Amino acid sequence: MRMIRPILYIRSGMNSLFARLIAGFLFIVLLLTSLTLYAVSVSNRNVKQEVVKYNTSLLDHTRDSYEKHLNLIKQQMLLFFTSDEIMRLQQQPDNVDYPVIIREIAKWTTVPYLYINNIVFYSKKDDLVLEKGTSTNAESMFNVFSASEEYPLAFWKAQFGGTEAIRIYPAAAMVNHIFRDSPQPLGELMPMIIEGVNNPDFYMIVLLDAAKMYEAFHQNLYKDFLIYDAHGKPMFSRTGREPFLAFGDLGDLGQNGSGIRDGKYYFANSGEATGFSYVSRVPADRIAEQTRINLTLLAIILAAIALSVFFSFLIASRINNPLKKVIESIRRMNDDPPYRSTINEFNFISGRIHDNRMLFRQFSFINHLKAIRSHEPDTPKLEFADRPFVFVLYHIQPDKGELYSSEVVQNWLYYLRTFIESKLKPAFPDSLTFQIERDQILSLVFTEEPKDVIAQLDEMSQVFDQDSEHGVVTMAVTSAYSASDRLTAAYEEAQRLAGERLMTGRTQLILERGSAPAAFGFSPDQDKALEANMKAGNAVQLAVLVQQHVAKWHRDVPTAASLVRFAEAFAGKIRSAVTPFPLGSEETDVLLGNTGERIGRCRTVKELEELLVEWVTKTAEAVREKKEEKHPITTQVVDYIHAHLAEEIYLDVLAAKLKMSSGYLSSYFKGKTGMNIVDYINETRIAKAAGLLNDDRLKIRDAAEAVGYRNITSFNRMFKKYMGVTPSEYRKREDKN
């Protein structure tokens, strides 16, 4: 028995949390120490081999990425080259297809993972060049838009009738000289030429962004890298000042394609599809440094082991006793109030458990309130079939000066909820009050007489009025309901009543819904006056128009919800009147700011009037400043587009009328307005169509034809691109508003 007793004591001791923690920590320390020492011993022998293998793998990945990408470009561009539009362009160029082809080119160049800077179609017979920006001639394209010393105009003219259908040339720097005083570098572009089988006088040029391809495909820490073609010509390079290994010396690197030359470690590999040779270079001394294990590292490992053992005992001792007491205390905690003790850790956990329990109950109530079905098995049941109740919904609108201080607003809302509970609890002990939305507090009051609740709310409203510098409170009281299954109906009634609040800047008590407000929006004549004065930049007339209209609201006061909808629609009218010309959408966004937030900050009709006047005044002044800018060419283009909106509009025809090249006109217009001519035409057409769709008597097809769209499918697609919805969805939404 005496011999067994020590064994039982040790066994009992091992079952303690402290012993388990110490054993676990020491086991982890021992395991990590063993693994560290083994890793150090193995790495001392094999690091160099692994580093070489790693760099070889990186180069293999680089090669595969280049080969796959170039093969992908060839396949995709061959499909594009054999499309119907390009085949018609080869046989008989027709400027009707120019916009279609240019848009297709633009789509290809905007795909980020293809790294295509531009696609150029060059026809020798017609001296015609099509690229992503415009149609032009070869001299303008290769001497202005994409000029390069390595690839002059003579080079491109000599490419017709080449020996290979698809060929790739070395990357070279290209520059756009459209602005002579400030040429724009296009980067290092690698040309790929694809010739037609049946038309030797026509070929495609795909300009690949070599720098972006290098950044995407070459992931090595050391940036020395070079690509040779099958004949030893450098296709692309990123090398330092020291000379790189010549193409003829690549064969001396050995079978694995790696070796040391002149103190540098070279890695080389070839692609099967292109025949390119990919070569990277790493300083040999850097690889040697990674194989040295010094005494400092060994000392650090031993110190880490000693500290790990020390902290294992320290942490285990600090966890054992408090955690044991916390667990025992939690086991005895059965009452709703949180159990308190002298242990801070347990007080924290106990408080959190109590808070989570209360939060769970609140979530359960909100689920019942909003008719949200819950699958939680422990969801509390809300059954009070024989207890009539009413809802009191408090809608809070913080002062606009404090709206940006969320902490101040949340503190005020907490104060309001506490104050409401202190007033309702004495008279209605079972009442529940909690915040259900960012700006709403809800009280559930069990009573058969709503008038008793109303009397209490009248007293509270006096306090709310004294606290008006923080914000405005609106109280909506529902009719009496009989059971818990009517919670959702009561909540919906409370929301409807809260929507009847007015912009008075004072506390309101709403008991019933008012009569439906008369129409108070702009009349068609006022809409026309708004648009005309906005386009003319007449700030004074616009301010008078707003003030005269707002004056009517003092006789027939609309609800706050109606005024908010009017203000949102008014902001939309301003946007449609001035965008896309003379103001861009970004300029208008800056002038109007965050419309929804600013409207929500208005507590009175006067504040809303000041906001509307501010909008029209600032926007009109911006329009006037734009109109005072002298851009006769842009004005002529805009006037022509608006006069021929229902017709086919071609860039070449428009450029000819202005006696300039289409490329220069396109660049000039974009420089002055910030958008392409084609985008401006489409945006103007869609904006005009949106205005026409407000007339229910006009068919959608007629509206499309009125702005130049003969194909209803194209109209629907373009409308959704700019408006976010289809024409039919837009009309339904406007009818609903």
Side-chain angles (χ1 to χ4, degrees):
M1 186 66 180
R2 293 180 178 178
M3 297 179 60
I4 299 176
R5 185 175 299 174
I7 298 175
L8 295 177
Y9 178 79
I10 295 174
R11 182 175 181 182
S12 176
M14 289 302 297
N15 290 331
S16 67
L17 177 62
F18 179 79
R20 295 287 180 94
L21 288 173
I22 290 296
F25 285 140
L26 293 180
F27 177 78
I28 293 174
V29 170
L30 179 62
L31 179 62
L32 292 178
T33 302
S34 301
L35 292 176
T36 302
L37 294 176
Y38 175 79
V40 169
S41 63
V42 172
S43 63
N44 192 35
R45 298 190 303 268
N46 299 328
V47 165
K48 181 176 180 180
Q49 180 180 353
E50 292 299 322
V51 171
V52 172
K53 183 178 179 181
Y54 172 75
N55 282 275
T56 303
S57 177
L58 287 179
L59 185 61
D60 291 343
H61 177 269
T62 300
R63 176 203 62 195
D64 294 339
S65 299
Y66 269 101
E67 295 291 310
K68 290 178 181 178
H69 186 73
L70 293 175
N71 185 54
L72 173 65
I73 295 299
K74 290 179 182 179
Q75 294 177 356
Q76 296 296 325
M77 292 301 101
L78 283 174
L79 291 175
F80 184 27
F81 192 77
T82 56
S83 62
D84 296 337
E85 293 83 1
I86 305 305
M87 297 304 292
R88 287 196 300 270
L89 183 67
Q90 295 184 53
Q91 297 170 2
Q92 186 176 1
D94 186 357
N95 62 0
V96 175
D97 289 331
Y98 291 177
V100 177
I101 296 174
I102 292 173
R103 283 196 299 270
E104 287 298 317
I105 294 174
K107 289 180 181 179
W108 285 107
T109 57
T110 55
V111 178
Y113 63 85
L114 292 180
Y115 309 112
I116 297 177
N117 178 272
N118 202 351
I119 300 176
V120 181
F121 292 97
Y122 183 13
S123 176
K124 178 180 180 182
K125 176 181 178 182
D126 307 282
D127 191 27
L128 171 66
V129 171
L130 288 182
E131 55 101 32
K132 67 180 179 182
T134 185
S135 59
T136 182
N137 54 40
E139 182 175 1
S140 297
M141 180 65 198
F142 301 115
N143 287 339
V144 178
F145 297 136
S146 296
S148 172
E149 295 181 1
E150 288 81 359
Y151 300 110
L153 177 61
F155 169 84
W156 301 109
K157 289 184 177 181
Q159 296 304 307
F160 293 100
T163 57
E164 297 178 5
I166 301 177
R167 48 193 183 273
I168 304 175
Y169 290 96
M174 294 190 180
V175 181
N176 187 338
H177 291 287
I178 189 170
F179 300 107
R180 297 180 179 178
D181 297 333
S182 58
Q184 302 175 354
L186 300 178
E188 290 183 77
L189 305 183
M190 181 180 291
M192 176 188 291
I193 295 180
I194 302 177
E195 289 190 358
V197 178
N198 300 323
N199 188 355
D201 293 336
F202 183 91
Y203 65 80
M204 168 199 285
I205 307 169
V206 183
L207 297 176
L208 299 173
D209 195 324
K212 290 183 178 179
M213 291 167 60
Y214 166 76
E215 293 295 334
F217 300 153
H218 187 66
Q219 303 299 325
N220 201 314
L221 177 64
Y222 306 99
K223 301 302 182 180
D224 281 2
F225 178 72
L226 192 144
I227 302 177
Y228 291 107
D229 67 3
H231 306 290
K233 181 187 297 183
M235 300 295 292
F236 176 82
S237 65
R238 281 288 187 273
T239 59
R241 298 179 179 179
E242 300 179 9
F244 212 81
L245 189 65
F247 177 78
D249 298 331
L250 294 180
D252 299 333
L253 293 179
Q255 295 181 353
N256 58 356
S258 62
I260 298 178
R261 293 292 186 276
D262 301 325
K264 303 292 182 181
Y265 218 112
Y266 286 88
F267 301 86
N269 213 328
S270 299
E272 296 181 1
T274 61
F276 290 176
S277 295
Y278 304 87
V279 188
S280 65
R281 181 171 63 183
V282 177
D285 55 346
R286 297 293 178 88
I287 296 180
E289 288 178 2
Q290 299 180 54
T291 63
R292 300 191 186 101
I293 303 297
N294 52 34
L295 296 178
T296 304
L297 177 59
L298 184 59
I300 292 174
I301 294 174
L302 295 176
I305 294 172
L307 289 175
S308 299
V309 174
F310 171 77
F311 281 110
S312 296
F313 280 91
L314 181 63
I315 294 173
S317 62
R318 288 185 174 271
I319 291 176
N320 181 58
N321 293 332
L323 185 59
K324 183 178 180 180
K325 294 179 180 179
V326 167
I327 293 174
E328 291 299 325
S329 300
I330 291 176
R331 289 175 180 173
R332 294 193 300 267
M333 187 181 65
N334 297 320
D335 298 332
D336 287 338
Y339 182 81
R340 298 298 178 185
S341 73
T342 58
I343 303 175
N344 293 332
E345 292 83 0
F346 174 72
N347 286 336
F348 176 79
I349 295 174
S350 178
R352 284 302 181 94
I353 291 174
H354 177 75
D355 293 343
N356 289 340
R357 185 181 304 164
M358 298 301 295
L359 186 62
F360 183 69
R361 289 178 178 177
Q362 180 173 331
F363 284 159
S364 175
F365 181 79
I366 293 177
N367 287 343
H368 284 82
L369 192 69
K370 300 185 178 181
I372 300 174
R373 186 173 181 179
S374 175
H375 296 282
E376 295 293 338
D378 297 329
T379 301
K381 301 297 183 182
L382 297 177
E383 299 293 345
F384 40 88
D386 298 328
R387 304 187 64 187
F389 69 91
V390 297
F391 272 147
V392 182
L393 181 64
Y394 309 86
H395 182 277
I396 294 92
Q397 187 175 23
D399 179 72
K400 63 180 181 180
E402 295 181 347
L403 184 64
Y404 294 103
S405 177
S406 59
E407 182 178 357
V408 174
V409 173
Q410 290 303 316
N411 290 338
W412 182 53
L413 289 174
Y414 178 78
Y415 156 75
L416 288 179
R417 184 166 63 85
T418 305
F419 171 74
I420 293 169
E421 287 180 336
S422 67
K423 289 296 184 181
L424 291 180
K425 279 289 184 180
F428 309 97
D430 295 334
S431 64
L432 300 174
T433 300
F434 46 87
Q435 185 175 348
I436 60 171
E437 299 289 350
R438 181 180 60 85
D439 57 353
Q440 289 185 351
I441 296 174
L442 184 69
S443 291
L444 170 63
V445 184
F446 294 98
T447 181
E448 296 181 358
E449 298 295 336
K451 62 182 181 180
D452 297 336
V453 181
I454 295 172
Q456 189 67 50
L457 296 177
D458 286 335
E459 296 180 7
M460 295 164 57
S461 64
Q462 299 176 9
V463 178
F464 292 151
D465 285 335
Q466 296 175 2
D467 211 22
S468 60
E469 70 273 8
H470 293 291
V472 178
V473 179
T474 301
M475 298 176 289
V477 184
T478 68
S479 54
Y481 287 84
S482 60
S484 62
D485 58 357
R486 300 288 292 164
L487 280 174
T488 302
Y491 177 70
E492 292 174 351
E493 180 187 355
Q495 292 288 353
R496 290 194 297 269
L497 290 174
E500 296 292 320
R501 67 185 180 90
L502 306 177
M503 282 190 176
T504 61
R506 295 180 58 83
T507 303
Q508 301 173 59
L509 179 60
I510 303 174
L511 306 177
E512 59 183 3
R513 298 193 67 183
S515 58
F520 63 95
F522 270 15
S523 65
D525 291 338
Q526 288 175 315
D527 284 335
K528 293 179 181 178
L530 174 67
E531 182 177 0
N533 285 295
M534 191 62 69
K535 291 184 178 295
N538 298 326
V540 176
Q541 291 87 335
L542 288 168
V544 172
L545 178 65
V546 172
Q547 293 167 351
Q548 291 177 346
H549 187 72
V550 173
K552 302 177 183 178
W553 298 347
H554 298 290
R555 297 190 301 269
D556 299 323
V557 182
T559 64
S562 301
L563 292 177
V564 168
R565 290 193 295 270
F566 171 81
E568 291 173 346
F570 188 81
K573 294 178 185 293
I574 294 176
R575 292 179 188 276
S576 62
V578 299
T579 56
F581 188 85
L583 300 180
S585 58
E586 294 182 357
E587 294 177 281
T588 310
D589 290 341
V590 173
L591 292 172
L592 298 182
N594 191 332
T595 55
E597 179 181 318
R598 299 192 67 188
I599 293 171
R601 287 156 51 191
C602 296
R603 300 190 299 170
T604 64
V605 174
K606 182 63 176 177
E607 291 178 358
L608 183 62
E609 177 185 359
E610 292 173 353
L611 176 62
L612 300 182
V613 171
E614 176 191 339
W615 281 349
V616 296
T617 301
K618 288 185 176 181
T619 308
E621 291 174 352
V623 170
R624 187 175 66 252
E625 292 177 1
K626 279 285 186 180
K627 293 175 70 67
E628 290 175 355
E629 296 179 1
K630 302 301 182 181
H631 300 307
I633 295 178
T634 304
T635 302
Q636 293 181 56
V637 171
V638 171
D639 292 342
Y640 179 86
I641 291 173
H642 282 271
H644 300 80
L645 202 61
E647 307 170 9
E648 294 288 348
I649 301 176
Y650 302 109
L651 179 61
D652 291 343
V653 175
L654 184 57
K657 289 181 176 294
L658 297 174
K659 296 181 175 56
M660 61 180 61
S661 69
S662 57
Y664 178 78
L665 176 60
S666 178
S667 300
Y668 180 87
F669 188 86
K670 184 172 183 180
K672 297 301 181 183
T673 65
M675 61 191 312
N676 293 323
I677 292 181
V678 174
D679 292 336
Y680 176 79
I681 294 172
N682 289 327
E683 191 168 334
T684 304
R685 283 174 166 167
I686 296 304
K688 180 67 175 178
L692 295 175
L693 291 176
N694 291 328
D695 187 355
D696 294 337
R697 297 170 298 179
L698 188 66
K699 296 181 179 179
I700 294 178
R701 182 178 295 276
D702 295 337
E705 293 179 354
V707 296
Y709 289 99
R710 302 293 180 265
N711 188 311
I712 190 65
T713 302
S714 299
F715 173 69
N716 289 335
R717 183 175 62 254
M718 195 64 65
F719 194 93
K720 185 168 186 180
K721 174 183 177 182
Y722 285 96
M723 302 300 293
V725 294
T726 63
S728 58
E729 292 172 344
Y730 175 83
R731 171 167 280 178
K732 291 179 181 177
R733 186 177 67 181
E734 292 301 309
D735 292 343
K736 183 177 180 181
N737 291 336

